[in-house]
Every structure is written in C-alpha cells, then in structure tokens.
Amino acid sequence: MAKLYFYYSAMNAGKTTQLLQNSFNYNERGMDTLLYTFKFDDRYGEAVIASRIGLKSAANVFDKHLDLFEDISKRLTDNTACIFVDEAQFLMKAHVKQLCQVVDEFDIPVLTYGLRSDFLGEPFEGSLYLLLWADELVEVKTICHCGKKATMNARFDSECRIIRHGEQIDIGGNEKYISLCRKHYYLGDCKGGNKK
Ligand SMILES: [Zn+2]
C-alpha cells in the first residue's frame, strides 16, 4: 500500500536536497519520478527544483488553480514509481485531498516536502492539511545558532530585526529568513543570521 508522506521542517534543513537525492535513487534504478514545485517560486527559474548545495532537476509546477489529481493522471506512465512535491506548504487544501486520491487510487507513493509554519509561527494551508492527512510525518531537523532544534522561520529586515507583521508569502532565502528555536524566535535574537 502506497502512502502520502510529509517531510517537514524549518527553512534550510536540506529538504530539497533530500527530495532530489530520493528522486535520483529511483531514476538510477530505471524508475521514473514526477516532480512538482510551486509556480510562485522563480528563484531558480520556472520549473526547476534546485537545492542550496547545487543539485537541480526539471519539475512540473502547481499553482492554486491546478487540479493535481487530473494533472498527475495525465503524466503517469507504467514506469512512474513516485511523485515528489517541493514547497508543499503552498499547496491548497484541495491539492492535499487530490494527492491523497493519487495515493489511494493509483497506489503510488507521494512524498511532499515543506515548511511546518510561516514567519509568524502560523500554519500554511498545505502543511496544515498534510499534518492532518498524510500517512507518514517525517521531521527533517535543523538547528538554531544556539544548537537547539530550530522550529521557527524568522523573517528579518536589513537591520537584522525580526519582522512580526506582513504577508504570509514573501519568497526569499538566507537574505530574508533564518531558522531559530522557539526561545530565540520570541526573544527576537537572530544573532548568527546571514546578514548581508
Ligand atoms: Zn536558539
């Protein structure tokens, strides 16, 4: 029986690297994979999943209007062994339901990778429903500058002050976000941040 997996963490834990490595492992054994990423993220150009350590792969994109069940149905072949979704926090509730349907009807594993919470510590829609409905929840760990597990994604300004208001989606990397433990998130201490 195939399962729906949610690999969750704070930022910079290496989720995308894991996704690309896992996909590569399938490909190396002659099996095909289907990769998806969120359309809004154009950091590395459209339809590419790229990790910070240099791995990358072409990918299909989803936006809020795409019916993932229908799209996957069209792209599946007899040789498709696994489906990967990066930036899974940006899935809509309906998308998560569609991925459950893919797992249950096609008996094919779906591995999703995303952030557990946003820069205010609030849930993303995709992560919320993945946490509720995925068969397997796997935490990918990363650490705060103090050495404790980082669970929060702080967004900071040019003065390295933590931003406490704003839109949920503001695409960025190390220049804008830092992973912190809960204590240092609430203390507002982003010491060790990658301030430019
Ligand atoms: Zn800390």
Side-chain angles (χ1 to χ4, degrees), residues 144-146 148 181 184:
C144 177
H145 57 73
C146 69
K148 280 187 71 175
C181 72
H184 284 125

mmCIF file of all heavy atoms in Angstrom, residues 144-146 148 181 184, ligand 1:
data_model
loop_
_atom_site.group_PDB
_atom_site.id
_atom_site.type_symbol
_atom_site.label_atom_id
_atom_site.label_comp_id
_atom_site.label_asym_id
_atom_site.label_seq_id
_atom_site.Cartn_x
_atom_site.Cartn_y
_atom_site.Cartn_z
ATOM 1 N N CYS A 144 19.209 25.896 15.444
ATOM 2 C CA CYS A 144 19.315 27.328 15.732
ATOM 3 C C CYS A 144 20.789 27.648 16.007
ATOM 4 O O CYS A 144 21.592 26.745 16.238
ATOM 5 C CB CYS A 144 18.464 27.607 16.970
ATOM 6 S SG CYS A 144 18.500 29.303 17.570
ATOM 7 N N HIS A 145 21.134 28.954 16.044
ATOM 8 C CA HIS A 145 22.531 29.318 16.347
ATOM 9 C C HIS A 145 22.959 28.880 17.737
ATOM 10 O O HIS A 145 24.147 28.805 18.035
ATOM 11 C CB HIS A 145 22.750 30.829 16.151
ATOM 12 C CG HIS A 145 21.838 31.694 16.968
ATOM 13 N ND1 HIS A 145 21.960 31.848 18.321
ATOM 14 C CD2 HIS A 145 20.775 32.456 16.610
ATOM 15 C CE1 HIS A 145 21.019 32.668 18.763
ATOM 16 N NE2 HIS A 145 20.286 33.052 17.737
ATOM 17 N N CYS A 146 21.967 28.549 18.628
ATOM 18 C CA CYS A 146 22.311 28.118 19.988
ATOM 19 C C CYS A 146 22.550 26.608 20.055
ATOM 20 O O CYS A 146 22.967 26.093 21.080
ATOM 21 C CB CYS A 146 21.203 28.508 20.955
ATOM 22 S SG CYS A 146 19.679 27.575 20.706
ATOM 23 N N LYS A 148 20.126 24.317 19.627
ATOM 24 C CA LYS A 148 18.850 23.599 19.799
ATOM 25 C C LYS A 148 18.160 23.430 18.450
ATOM 26 O O LYS A 148 18.439 24.134 17.495
ATOM 27 C CB LYS A 148 17.925 24.392 20.741
ATOM 28 C CG LYS A 148 18.249 24.194 22.212
ATOM 29 C CD LYS A 148 17.205 24.868 23.083
ATOM 30 C CE LYS A 148 15.869 24.141 23.052
ATOM 31 N NZ LYS A 148 14.896 24.726 23.998
ATOM 32 N N CYS A 181 15.284 28.429 17.130
ATOM 33 C CA CYS A 181 14.499 27.680 18.108
ATOM 34 C C CYS A 181 13.386 28.614 18.600
ATOM 35 O O CYS A 181 13.429 29.822 18.362
ATOM 36 C CB CYS A 181 15.372 27.203 19.264
ATOM 37 S SG CYS A 181 15.902 28.524 20.364
ATOM 38 N N HIS A 184 14.606 31.643 20.922
ATOM 39 C CA HIS A 184 15.286 32.760 20.264
ATOM 40 C C HIS A 184 14.387 33.487 19.269
ATOM 41 O O HIS A 184 14.569 34.669 19.009
ATOM 42 C CB HIS A 184 16.597 32.279 19.632
ATOM 43 C CG HIS A 184 17.660 32.068 20.667
ATOM 44 N ND1 HIS A 184 18.338 30.874 20.816
ATOM 45 C CD2 HIS A 184 18.099 32.893 21.648
ATOM 46 C CE1 HIS A 184 19.184 30.993 21.846
ATOM 47 N NE2 HIS A 184 19.045 32.196 22.361
HETATM 48 ZN ZN ZN B 1 18.129 29.086 19.851
#
